[in-house]
Amino acid sequence: MSDPEEPRIRLPQLKLDELFEELQARIDAARSTRDRVNGLLDAVLSVGRELELDQVLRSVAQAAADLVDAEYAALGVIGPDGRTLSAFHTVGASEEQITAIGHLPEGRGILGELIRHPRPLRLTKLSEHPASYGFPPGHPPMNSFLGVPIRVRGQVFGNLYLTEKRGGAEFDAEDQSLLSTLAVAAGVAIDNARLYEETRLRERWLLANAEISHSLMSGSEGTETLVLIAERARAITGSDLAAVATPMPDAPSFYVEIAVGSQAGAHRGLVLPIEGTLMGLALRTAAPATTDDARHDERISPEPPRFEGLGPAVAVPIGTGPDALRGVVLVARGAGRPVFLQQETEMLQTFAAQAAIVMELAERRRSAQQVELLEDHDRIARDLHDLAIQRLFAIGMTLQSAGRFIVHPVANERVLRAVDDLDETIKIIRSTIFGLRAHQDGAETGLRARVVRAVSESAPVLGFAPSLRMEGLLDTEVPQEIADDLVAVLSEALTNMARHAHADRAQVAVTTDGHELWLTVADNGVGIPAEGRRSGLSNMAERAEKLGGRLRVTRPEDGGSALDWRVPLPGGRSARAGTRSPGGPGPEDRA
């Protein structure tokens, strides 16, 4: 017979076991919560240690994967357009998998859903969402998904994407809460990294300005300073190409004086119109001009080809205000690289404005030195006229008077010869005085301006504007008489092209290396017929031969004609190779 008290004893014991199990579950949950909170704190600390922006972004993605135990994690940075991703940092995928996937995501499908609606998104199966776009070939399989936006100062900076929770489990509300908290800490860390990056960037711009100031104030040539401006602008902005152009006097065009980096050869020396060019737009508006793709922008003329392999570009005027522009600096990145942000453009604009101020100070300094030099010339000319010539004239009069008392014929002849020599010396001094004073009145128009004018004047007759390229110190190394011949040959070549070539495209190049001067005129017309008149070509050839040069006319394989007119410059290689220069000894005389 059973004891009637037994049920009353077992019932409390069963409730106690249930209480112990519940207590153990709560303890396990508390431990799990503690561990996850500690994991969150560790993740926040790891994110806040970095200062380099790229390192911060990678650290955030890694911390997010560790925090919610995800196999794959990614951080996508939203581009300036607010619709696509400009950068994508991944965790979990191997290099082989990334290579197999190919092009990184741009923000379509589920990734775009988070861009369009920046709020947490948790999915059990990715493929079942209406916005699912599918995976490219080679992409690892992914099912569970958790995404949260990252905000920096109230603006959505990017999104965290987590997939494939380990163990086949699903992401839960606690995972979402932890990841949202990490996203807040990530926003602070990203903001700090951006401020640090901006500070370092401003420091680099200040150092570049200091370097340019030192270069100009120490007396460096203007070309050296323009090279320095281009090189520093290219390096600091991370661009593939940098070019500096200056406006041409009395012509609606500009001259690309300096170009460094990719496609530098296609830009250097070009004379381009204000209309139809990015640099021209910056000059005309006295404001920065940007493009996402320089090759396909309708505002930029494709001729001559100069942006092959390049994409985003920005042109910034050197100076402030339309009346104080000294040029324009262009920087361009390779195709597919990030576009120039407004902050980058503003820093480049500040750099160019400060460089313009330094250039103006240096120019005023050179002007003051020039005034001082001209005043010195005037003083020398006055002293020569008032002192040297008068004294020489007096000596000549004395010798001439004394000659009447010299009986010896040989001695008398020598005195008269000395008087003649004094007359010649006075003529030379007067010629020197005239040269000193004529120099103060300024030189004639330079060769560059004359070439630009000749090409511009031919455009209405040709029906199109030929492309023009000029390289070398044309205004300082080419004598006036050779410059006159070159302009005459160029004008005749363009006139003949308009009459006979039937071309719709032409290229003109004028180059000097200090030893020779080249003129090249090429077109895509019908070419020069064998039975055609040769009077124009004969005149060009005679001008070249008169100067010790030659003329060559060829027919390129792709049609048209190419004229190559080449002459040596005084003191160049041709003169030093053995030909006797006028009024001076040749190499055989020095031997």
Side-chain angles (χ1 to χ4, degrees), residues 3-159:
D3 187 353
E5 299 292 333
E6 185 176 354
R8 290 197 294 270
I9 294 173
R10 288 184 178 178
L11 185 59
Q13 186 177 350
L14 289 174
K15 289 183 177 180
L16 186 60
D17 289 340
E18 291 176 1
L19 289 174
F20 274 127
E21 289 176 2
E22 184 179 350
L23 179 61
Q24 185 63 45
R26 288 177 180 271
I27 291 172
D28 291 341
R31 285 176 177 170
S32 176
T33 302
R34 181 200 63 186
D35 293 341
R36 304 202 77 176
V37 170
N38 288 337
L40 176 61
L41 292 175
D42 290 340
V44 170
L45 289 174
S46 67
V47 166
R49 289 193 189 103
E50 302 293 343
L51 283 176
E52 297 287 345
L53 184 57
D54 279 349
Q55 291 297 327
V56 169
L57 299 179
R58 296 182 187 280
S59 177
V60 169
Q62 184 64 60
D66 296 339
L67 185 61
V68 298
D69 205 20
E71 187 173 351
Y72 303 105
L75 194 157
V77 180
I78 299 176
D81 59 2
R83 300 188 302 273
T84 58
L85 297 175
S86 61
F88 201 74
H89 302 272
T90 61
V91 170
S94 65
E95 291 295 333
E96 291 78 11
Q97 288 175 320
I98 294 174
T99 303
I101 293 171
H103 195 275
L104 291 176
E106 296 179 351
R108 300 179 180 178
I110 298 296
L111 305 187
E113 179 72 13
L114 224 64
I115 295 173
R116 293 187 294 273
H117 305 99
R119 54 179 178 266
L121 178 64
R122 192 169 78 249
L123 302 174
T124 302
K125 196 171 184 61
L126 269 167
S127 58
E128 294 179 353
H129 193 277
S132 178
Y133 195 77
F135 296 115
H139 197 286
M142 295 179 180
N143 291 303
S144 58
F145 174 85
L146 176 59
V148 297
I150 298 176
R151 287 180 168 83
V152 177
R153 298 193 180 189
Q155 299 293 323
V156 178
F157 173 83
N159 295 302

Side-chain angles (χ1 to χ4, degrees), residues 248 271 446-459 461-462 464-470 474 481-499 506-511 517-523 536-537 539-541 543-544 547 551 562-567:
M248 297 294 298
V271 176
L447 177 57
R448 287 183 187 277
R450 296 177 66 188
V451 169
V452 172
R453 191 181 303 116
V455 173
S456 300
E457 290 174 352
S458 70
V461 181
L462 290 168
F464 62 91
S467 68
L468 173 61
R469 182 187 304 274
M470 297 187 291
L474 298 174
E481 59 274 13
I482 296 181
D484 293 340
D485 281 322
L486 182 138
V487 172
V489 170
L490 173 60
S491 299
E492 188 160 2
L494 293 173
T495 300
N496 291 342
M497 184 190 302
R499 290 175 178 172
Q507 301 85 37
V508 176
V510 182
T511 309
L517 177 66
W518 295 272
L519 168 64
T520 304
V521 182
D523 63 65
L537 294 176
N539 292 336
M540 300 180 199
R543 289 181 182 274
L547 298 171
L551 171 71
L563 179 148
D564 182 22
W565 190 83
R566 181 175 301 196
V567 296

Side-chain angles (χ1 to χ4, degrees), residues 210-546:
E211 192 174 0
I212 291 169
S213 300
H214 180 268
S215 172
L216 280 169
M217 294 307 177
S218 61
S220 298
E221 293 292 333
T223 303
E224 296 177 10
T225 302
L226 294 180
V227 171
L228 195 58
I229 290 174
E231 289 178 344
R232 295 300 175 267
R234 173 173 171 259
I236 296 175
T237 59
S239 301
D240 295 275
L241 166 75
V244 178
T246 54
M248 297 294 298
D250 303 325
S253 56
F254 60 90
Y255 170 62
V256 183
E257 195 162 352
I258 302 297
V260 294
S262 176
Q263 294 297 314
H267 281 80
R268 190 182 301 116
L270 282 178
V271 176
L272 297 170
I274 298 293
E275 296 291 337
T277 57
L278 196 66
M279 284 183 165
L281 180 60
L283 280 173
R284 189 174 70 251
T285 61
T290 61
T291 177
D292 293 347
D293 190 351
R295 295 171 301 168
H296 303 106
D297 195 317
E298 295 180 354
R299 299 171 301 170
I300 303 174
S301 62
E303 294 291 337
R306 56 195 185 280
F307 287 108
E308 186 65 31
L310 298 174
V314 56
V316 172
I318 302 176
T320 55
D323 299 330
L325 293 182
R326 299 182 174 274
V328 61
V329 57
L330 168 84
V331 289
R333 290 172 178 156
R337 293 193 57 201
V339 299
F340 289 91
L341 303 177
Q342 182 179 356
Q343 183 184 23
E344 293 179 296
T345 303
E346 289 174 354
M347 287 187 178
L348 180 61
Q349 188 177 13
T350 302
F351 167 72
Q354 292 173 345
I357 293 173
V358 176
M359 292 169 70
E360 183 175 356
L361 290 174
E363 185 175 315
R364 290 180 181 274
R365 180 182 176 185
R366 285 192 297 269
S367 297
Q369 292 174 342
Q370 186 70 18
V371 170
E372 184 178 350
L373 180 64
L374 294 177
E375 290 176 349
D376 202 31
H377 283 181
D378 190 57
R379 179 186 58 79
I380 293 171
R382 189 169 55 251
D383 290 346
L384 286 174
H385 182 272
D386 296 342
L387 300 176
I389 289 182
Q390 299 301 328
R391 182 165 296 182
L392 289 173
F393 186 75
I395 293 172
M397 292 291 292
T398 303
L399 288 175
Q400 201 170 20
S401 300
R404 293 196 295 267
F405 301 100
I406 299 175
V407 178
H408 197 283
V410 176
N412 186 50
E413 183 184 351
R414 289 183 177 178
V415 169
L416 293 177
R417 192 182 305 159
V419 172
D420 293 338
D421 290 342
L422 285 173
D423 288 340
E424 288 299 320
T425 303
I426 291 172
K427 290 179 182 178
I428 292 172
I429 293 175
R430 282 178 171 162
S431 177
T432 303
I433 293 172
F434 177 78
L436 288 171
R437 288 175 173 167
H439 183 72
Q440 299 179 32
D441 297 332
E444 294 186 23
T445 305
L447 177 57
R448 287 183 187 277
R450 296 177 66 188
V451 169
V452 172
R453 191 181 303 116
V455 173
S456 300
E457 290 174 352
S458 70
V461 181
L462 290 168
F464 62 91
S467 68
L468 173 61
R469 182 187 304 274
M470 297 187 291
E471 293 188 43
L473 302 177
L474 298 174
D475 289 341
T476 57
E477 292 186 340
V478 180
Q480 185 68 34
E481 59 274 13
I482 296 181
D484 293 340
D485 281 322
L486 182 138
V487 172
V489 170
L490 173 60
S491 299
E492 188 160 2
L494 293 173
T495 300
N496 291 342
M497 184 190 302
R499 290 175 178 172
H500 311 296
H502 304 292
D504 59 11
R505 191 170 65 252
Q507 301 85 37
V508 176
V510 182
T511 309
T512 181
D513 60 358
H515 307 300
E516 286 186 300
L517 177 66
W518 295 272
L519 168 64
T520 304
V521 182
D523 63 65
N524 66 340
V526 298
I528 300 176
E531 67 280 1
R533 295 177 59 187
R534 289 291 191 273
S535 57
L537 294 176
S538 298
N539 292 336
M540 300 180 199
E542 287 177 6
R543 289 181 182 274
E545 291 169 1
K546 178 188 67 175

